[in-house]
Each structure stands twice: as structure tokens, then as C-alpha cells.
Amino acid sequence: MSDSPDQNDEPGLGLDLPEQTKPAADSHYRVLARKYRPQTFSELIGQDAMVTTLGNAIERGRIAHAFLLTGVRGVGKTSTARLVAKALNCIGPDGQGGPTINPCGVCEPCRAIADGRHIDVIEMDAASHTGVDDVREIIEAVRYAAVSARYKIYIIDEVHMLSKSAFNALLKTLEEPPAHVKFLFATTEVNKVPVTVLSRCQRFDLRRIPAEKLAEHFAHVAKAEGVEVEDEALQAIARAAEGSARDGLSILDQAIAHGEGSVTAAQVRDMLGQADRGRVRRLLDTLLAGDLSATLAQLDQAHELGIDPASLIRGLMESMHAVTRSKAGAKADLLQSAEERDAAAELAQRMSWASLHRLWQLLLKGLQDVNIAPDPHEAATMALLRIIHAADMPDPSALAAILAGGVAPASAAVPATVPPPSEAPVNAVTDFPALVDAIERQGRQLLGLQLRDHIGLVSFAPGELALKPLKPLGPDFPRELAAAAKEATGTAWQVRLTDEGGAPSLHQQEAMAEERMRAEVLEEPNVRALLDQFPEATLESIDQKEA
């Protein structure tokens, strides 16, 4: 037995350690949002108008010195800025090319910009470089020409976070930069960018990417990754992305990791805490049927499954939005299944516009309650129960008819028909002036003044008025007049405004009657003789004299 240590032993180590393996060179994983970042303008989805404008500007040599790219998160603002940097600095595979909307992607400038290592393309995050000193560094550097590129390009992300002094320091350079310098700004909150900066930039508003285009893009990514994803799962991810390609790719990345080689719609909904469309439709049916116990049972079941109450309310709102669009004759959502479109069309025929609008407002209020309540499940329960009980309430038109003593419209959901009063009218009137007098006796002098001065009578019948406005009246005038006439006479009145026909106003009629009476008095022989004897005398009424 040799006392000499083994040649593989290290001093101080007597442990039997497992063999250490070195990580593979290609084990570094890039998330899908970075891996599938657009490398050409043709890969930039949903921004065709901007690409066309940029292409024309580059082709005609009308390249602005500063661009401002604005839009919600994940629509491609920073990617577009890098593509513009490529387009302006591309030299082509042979090194002889010029600015182009289709950069080659193989020349050194293109590859260096794609890798983020080009010395003349400087990216700065304004969120962490907000001060005037950071901007002064840019101002000093722009005086020097580009090292190897055609243009020196500054990409400033989230530019709205620069301080006021930093913006002010940048203004002069931004307005008159050297010919070799281009500025590319990106922001999600363009309203926070000073107007003095906006006026010096060429602005591009990047749109939210439509859900159908996102679903198609995610399908290509899934195919490239060798993962099977259900169409319904792609649609669910596209809706959850809310127009953001980056958000959608992050959700897809998570869904692939969540599944086992494939992604199903159920997995996506479970991962996001969403309710499936079938569950939402069943819940909507119980709501419209007014089934309290079934509604509570479905809510409790969704709670046990971990479905977010806010997601459930949003699902109901999406369904009502689809029903409303169907009733209005609008084009159906391309991501809707045929079954969903048929269900929306069927509900659109059953529900009135008033019911649709009321249900939408109740759901919107319920979503607000769920978002602020300490217990979202309890808030969702109370919101849906409120909707069921509100179904027994009349809509405003029916309520007005009930208050006026009439019968509610057949489309209104009213527990019972309220009969008109059986007693005789309290203060029957036979003509329009008598009605105006009755309204004024109730203390409605302002309304009486409008009726005397601003209205011409078209037709009068007990309980019915047709009037011609001689001056602008408020939108609630017919309703106020009907209520005042009901209060003054004890009977229901229908008031209609029209632009056709109409007598002079009561005030004008009184003035014309007084003028006729004055003319008749002046024609009296005794009065004429008196006026001839006293030329300065005037004829006045007793009311005028007292006034």
C-alpha cells in the first residue's frame, strides 16, 4: 500500500464528488420574443402603412433627421428603430449598396446592428439616463462623424422619461443636427413628450396588431419550434396579447413550457386563469334566464377551478359586444367559431337595444367592482345578482310611460302593467293657452315663458301636443313638458316637436291682437279728433302705463 496520494487527488479534498460536466456551448436559451424579433421590414407585422411611408422616403432620398415611434408595448417600436438603422447603413453584400428599405442582412453593418454591437448605432434607455448630463454627452458626440457607417444613429427608448431640462438641452441639436446624424425615439406615452420635440420629429403611430394576424404569426413560430398548438389555443393567446406581439410570444413561450410537447386551449386557459367560451356562454344563458341558483353554482365552480373573476366578467362583456355587433350588422370577429357567431346572431334577435346597452353598463360596473373589491369572487357574485334583479326593472322609456300613467312598451321587462289612473282629470284644459296657464299655476314660470315666447302651436288635442320650436330648446324639453302637463292636468300627455307648420307664438299672437285693437281705437272719430287737437298725445294701454 502506497502512502503517496493519488495523482488525481487535490490537497484537502477527500470527498467522492460526482463528475462535473461543462455546459454545452449552445445551451443558452433565448426567449421567443427575442429569437423571433423582426430582422426585415417584411417580418414586421401589422405596420404596413409605416413601412410604405419609410420605403418611399428612403427611395426618394427624403429621409427625416428625427423619427418618433409611438404605440403600445410590444408592437415593434425598438425593432422598427433598429430596422431603420439597418436600412440607412446597409452597404449590400458587395459593399456598394446604398440606403434601402430591404437591407441585405449579410453585410457587416447589418450584422453588427442586429447583434447590437455597431459602434455608430447607439442605443440609450431614457428610463435610466434621464438627466441633462446624459443628453450633453450626445450633444458633444454628434459633432464627430461616424466611424464606419454612413450615418451615426441614436436610438432613445422610452424618450418620454427624459427630464424637462434634458429635453430643453436636446432641442437645438434635434432641430439642426449634422447631416451624418439621425435620431430615432420610441415611446409608449407620447402625450408626455413636449410639443417642441414632437414638432421636430417625423411621427409614426404603430398600431395594435390585429388578433387574427397575431394568431397567424404565433402559428408560424410554433411550427418553427416544432410544437403542436391548437388553433383555439392560438386564438386565446392572441386575445390575451391585446395587440402586442411581444406579450403574445411571452405567453406562447410559457404555454410551451407548461405543456408536454403540445399546447391545448385548456392548458392556456388554465395557465392564464381564463374561462373557456363554453363556460361563458352557459353563464350568460343563466343570467338572461334569471336563474339565481344556477348562476351562483357556476360562479362557485369557476372559483374552485381558479378562474379569475375579472376574466369571467370580461368574457361576458366580449359576448355582449359580439351580440351588439351582430345586431348592428357589423362583420363578425374572424377568431369566432361558427357556433359563437350563430349564438350571437340568435341573441341579437331576442334582445332589444335597450337591454343590450343596460346589460353592458351593468357588466362594466361589475368589472370595476371586481377590480377594486377586497374579495373579487364576492364582488363578481354581487355584480351578476344585480344584473338578474335589474332585468325586472323597466327601462327609462317604460318608466316614463309608467310615471305618466300610460302602459309600458311590450319590449320592457316590467313585473306588472301599471294601469292609468281611473279618476277624472284634476284640471281639464280645452286649448293650448289654458294648458300654459295651468302649468304656470304649478310654479313652472320658466317653462311657461318658453311656451309663450319660443313655441308655435301645430296641433292640440286632449293628451297630445304637436309644437314647432321657434328658438333652440334643450333635448329634454318634450319630456319636461309632458311631466309638467301631467302634473298640471292629471292626465298623460304626448309631446311631439316638428319643423312643419305652426302658428305664431302666444306672445306674438298677443302682440298682433294688441296692434289690431290699437288700430281700431285710432279709427274711432272721437279719438282721431282728440289726437288732431293734441298732436303730442300717445295711445297707451293701462298695463304699459303701470309698467
Side-chain angles (χ1 to χ4, degrees), residues 40 47 57 61 68 82 102 175 187 212 220 232 239 294 308 315 367 405-406 421 486:
T40 63
Q47 312 299 340
L68 178 69
R82 292 176 180 172
N102 298 308
E175 185 173 21
T187 179
E212 58 269 19
H220 290 313
E232 190 177 349
R239 288 192 182 94
D308 181 22
L367 181 61
K486 168 69 169 58

Side-chain angles (χ1 to χ4, degrees), residues 96 137 159 163 172 176 223 240 256 270 283 321 323 339 347 359 375 387 397 401 406 410 431 455 464 477 495 509 547:
Q96 303 300 317
E137 291 181 9
V159 70
S163 65
K172 189 62 177 177
E176 298 178 0
K223 183 178 180 181
I256 293 174
D270 181 59
L283 180 58
H321 182 254
V323 173
E339 181 184 359
L347 278 178
L359 186 53
D375 190 327
I387 289 174
S397 62
D431 57 18
I455 287 294
E464 295 183 4
F477 180 82
V495 179
Q509 292 180 32

Side-chain angles (χ1 to χ4, degrees), residues 17-328:
L17 297 176
E19 182 182 359
Q20 300 294 321
T21 59
K22 294 182 179 180
D26 59 348
S27 64
H28 176 67
Y29 177 71
R30 285 199 303 164
V31 295
L32 298 182
R34 291 188 59 194
K35 186 176 181 180
Y36 291 94
R37 185 187 291 268
Q39 298 301 317
T40 63
F41 281 103
S42 61
E43 296 177 4
L44 192 66
I45 58 175
Q47 312 299 340
D48 298 340
M50 181 197 66
V51 173
T52 301
T53 303
L54 283 174
N56 292 338
I58 293 174
E59 181 180 351
R60 297 167 187 171
R62 304 179 64 88
I63 306 170
H65 60 272
F67 297 90
L68 178 69
L69 307 170
T70 178
V72 298
R73 68 196 184 281
V75 293
K77 297 184 295 297
T78 308
S79 296
T80 300
R82 292 176 180 172
L83 290 177
V84 172
K86 277 187 186 180
L88 297 182
N89 285 326
C90 178
I91 60 175
D94 57 358
Q96 303 300 317
T100 173
I101 193 63
N102 298 308
C104 65
V106 297
C107 66
E108 176 56 26
C110 285
R111 289 187 287 111
I113 293 172
D115 296 339
R117 56 180 174 81
H118 200 293
I119 193 172
D120 293 319
V121 178
I122 301 97
E123 291 193 33
M124 187 182 88
D125 177 22
S128 54
H129 300 80
T130 62
V132 66
D133 291 336
D134 300 302
V135 172
R136 284 188 183 130
E137 291 181 9
I138 296 176
I139 296 172
E140 290 296 324
V142 297
R143 296 184 301 172
Y144 304 102
V147 176
S148 61
R150 185 178 295 112
Y151 292 103
K152 179 181 284 189
I153 295 177
Y154 289 91
I155 300 174
I156 303 181
D157 198 12
E158 299 302 337
V159 70
H160 66 273
M161 301 192 74
L162 288 178
S163 65
K164 183 178 180 180
S165 57
F167 273 124
N168 290 337
L170 187 61
L171 286 180
K172 189 62 177 177
T173 303
L174 184 61
E175 185 173 21
E176 298 178 0
H180 61 271
V181 174
K182 302 292 181 184
F183 288 98
L184 299 171
F185 300 141
T187 179
T188 53
E189 300 184 47
V190 70
N191 58 303
K192 293 184 179 180
V193 179
V195 66
T196 50
V197 173
L198 294 177
S199 64
R200 290 165 167 83
C201 299
Q202 192 171 95
R203 174 174 168 176
F204 291 98
D205 290 84
L206 278 67
R207 302 177 179 178
R208 289 181 184 270
I209 306 172
E212 58 269 19
K213 288 192 175 182
L214 282 178
E216 183 180 349
H217 178 58
F218 299 155
H220 290 313
V221 171
K223 183 178 180 181
E225 291 291 308
V227 179
E228 293 183 4
V229 184
E230 291 182 354
D231 290 341
E232 190 177 349
L234 292 172
Q235 295 169 6
I237 293 173
R239 288 192 182 94
E242 297 182 347
S244 169
R246 184 175 64 233
D247 286 7
L249 288 173
S250 298
I251 297 172
L252 179 60
D253 216 342
Q254 183 181 356
I256 293 174
H258 183 78
E260 297 180 357
S262 63
V263 177
T264 65
Q267 289 173 339
V268 172
R269 286 191 295 266
D270 181 59
M271 182 185 73
L272 299 177
Q274 292 180 336
D276 62 89
R277 294 301 181 91
R279 181 180 301 277
V280 170
R281 284 199 301 272
R282 291 193 298 272
L283 180 58
L284 182 59
D285 289 340
T286 60
L287 274 178
L288 297 179
D291 193 335
L292 290 172
S293 59
T295 299
L296 292 176
Q298 291 195 38
L299 277 175
D300 291 340
Q301 185 183 20
H303 182 61
E304 292 171 0
L305 293 174
I307 296 174
D308 181 22
S311 172
L312 204 59
I313 301 292
R314 282 195 296 269
L316 290 170
M317 294 181 72
E318 288 178 5
S319 296
M320 295 314 303
H321 182 254
V323 173
T324 307
R325 287 181 59 86
S326 177
K327 191 173 185 66

Side-chain angles (χ1 to χ4, degrees), residues 325-371:
R325 287 181 59 86
S326 177
K327 191 173 185 66
K331 184 179 179 181
D333 186 353
L334 294 179
L335 296 182
Q336 279 186 322
S337 64
E339 181 184 359
E340 290 172 335
R341 288 194 290 269
D342 293 342
E346 192 269 333
L347 278 178
Q349 292 180 350
R350 286 170 42 195
M351 300 184 69
S352 66
W353 281 111
S355 300
L356 286 171
H357 294 317
R358 180 170 51 188
L359 186 53
W360 174 266
Q361 292 297 328
L362 289 169
L363 286 172
L364 184 61
K365 178 63 169 63
L367 181 61
Q368 295 172 349
D369 292 348
V370 168
N371 288 332

